[in-house]
Amino acid sequence: RKEVEQDPGPFNVPEGATVAFNCTYSNSASQSFFWYRQDCRKEPKLLMSVYSSGNEDGRFTAQLNRASQYISLLIRDSKLSDSATYLCVVNRLKNNFNKFYFGSGTKLNVKP
Amino acid sequence: EPEVTQTPSHQVTQMGQEVILRCVPISNHLYFYWYRQILGQKVEFLVSFYNNEISEKSEIFDDQFSVERPDGSNFTLKIRSTKLEDSAMYFCASSYRGPEKLFFGSGTQLSVL
């Protein structure tokens, strides 16, 4: 089973729509959770860390459900500039060293 | 804002040649990583480095690959004899503490002909 799984999409939505992405992780010992945004041929950039209490940054809301091993990202009022691939990233200790596990990404296309 | 810098941005080389990809992590960071991404595919882990030694490497990181932190600021990835399948975008990343967020450099696009 993959360490981190995401729906690859693409999600094609009109401007102004609300869209949600989900991510599941397989190891309950995972300790840190992140959403990264990656534009084509560019580096992943941190969008937000994900906390157990849930957190919001403008139009973006992230939720973590440790019991279900599930992370979500909600984007409200989608903009054309939100078009990108969204990577779910999970960190846990492996052999006493922190390792990051990447999902394969969910592609979002926001259309005019 | 501090950033991870990588050079060169593009590298074209002939199969069998050696390449060195260079990175300057954020200055107070302690954990360093190399990842690669073949176009259209997921980000793949190559190697992690902490306290002047490799802490983990993937099966991709075979004897042709090596890393060095020669002077306390640079972090290099060397591929001794490049193969066609080494063509990819190579990203350097660093973090201050283990479980904290990763910061990525802008990548080196390696093309092996």
Side-chain angles (χ1 to χ4, degrees), chain B residues 15 56 61 64 67 74 86 88 104:
Chain B
M15 192 169 57
E56 186 179 1
F61 195 91
Q64 296 302 311
V67 288
N74 292 285
D86 293 329
F104 284 84

Side-chain angles (χ1 to χ4, degrees), chain B residues 9-73:
Chain B
S9 56
H10 293 85
Q11 175 87 53
V12 181
T13 190
Q14 296 290 327
M15 192 169 57
Q17 295 296 304
E18 175 183 286
V19 295
I20 297 176
L21 310 184
R22 302 181 192 280
C23 170
V24 180
I26 294 172
S27 61
N28 64 341
H29 283 191
L30 303 175
Y31 296 80
F32 312 111
Y33 305 81
W34 282 100
Y35 294 87
R36 79 172 188 189
Q37 188 174 34
I38 295 167
L39 187 63
Q41 297 186 24
K42 67 180 290 185
V43 174
E44 296 177 292
F45 170 75
L46 292 178
V47 65
S48 53
F49 194 88
Y50 170 71
N51 201 24
N52 287 318
E53 61 183 15
I54 290 174
S55 46
E56 186 179 1
K57 55 187 179 181
S58 72
E59 59 274 11
I60 302 169
F61 195 91
D62 61 22
D63 291 345
Q64 296 302 311
F65 289 82
S66 62
V67 288
E68 268 193 331
R69 189 159 158 80
D71 56 12
S73 61

Side-chain angles (χ1 to χ4, degrees), chain A residues 67-87:
Chain A
S68 302
Q69 294 178 200
Y70 168 98
I71 305 157
S72 65
L73 177 68
L74 183 78
I75 306 176
R76 288 182 298 279
D77 188 23
S78 301
K79 311 288 184 196
L80 295 176
S81 56
D82 294 333
S83 296
T85 297
Y86 290 82
L87 305 178

Side-chain angles (χ1 to χ4, degrees), chain A residues 3-109:
Chain A
E3 191 87 22
V4 180
E5 297 211 55
Q6 294 182 252
D7 180 344
F11 284 57
N12 298 308
V13 303
E15 262 186 298
T18 295
V19 61
F21 305 138
N22 301 322
C23 166
T24 57
Y25 58 95
S26 61
N27 196 307
S28 59
S30 299
Q31 53 186 357
S32 306
F33 310 89
F34 309 92
W35 284 103
Y36 280 77
R37 172 200 167 118
Q38 187 176 27
D39 294 289
C40 190
R41 297 180 183 268
K42 299 286 190 183
E43 76 274 24
K45 291 188 177 176
L46 181 70
L47 182 64
M48 55 201 304
S49 303
V50 189
Y51 304 113
S52 295
S53 53
N55 46 302
E56 187 173 307
D57 183 2
R59 297 181 294 109
F60 300 85
T61 301
Q63 297 277 352
L64 167 63
N65 184 322
R66 284 190 183 270
S68 302
Q69 294 178 200
Y70 168 98
I71 305 157
S72 65
L73 177 68
L74 183 78
I75 306 176
R76 288 182 298 279
D77 188 23
S78 301
K79 311 288 184 196
L80 295 176
S81 56
D82 294 333
S83 296
T85 297
Y86 290 82
L87 305 178
C88 176
V89 180
V90 170
N91 179 290
R92 68 172 173 92
L93 274 176
K94 183 185 175 190
N95 301 326
N96 287 323
F97 190 83
N98 285 282
K99 185 167 179 180
F100 291 87
Y101 296 87
F102 286 74
S104 54
T106 298
K107 189 168 172 58
L108 172 66
N109 296 316

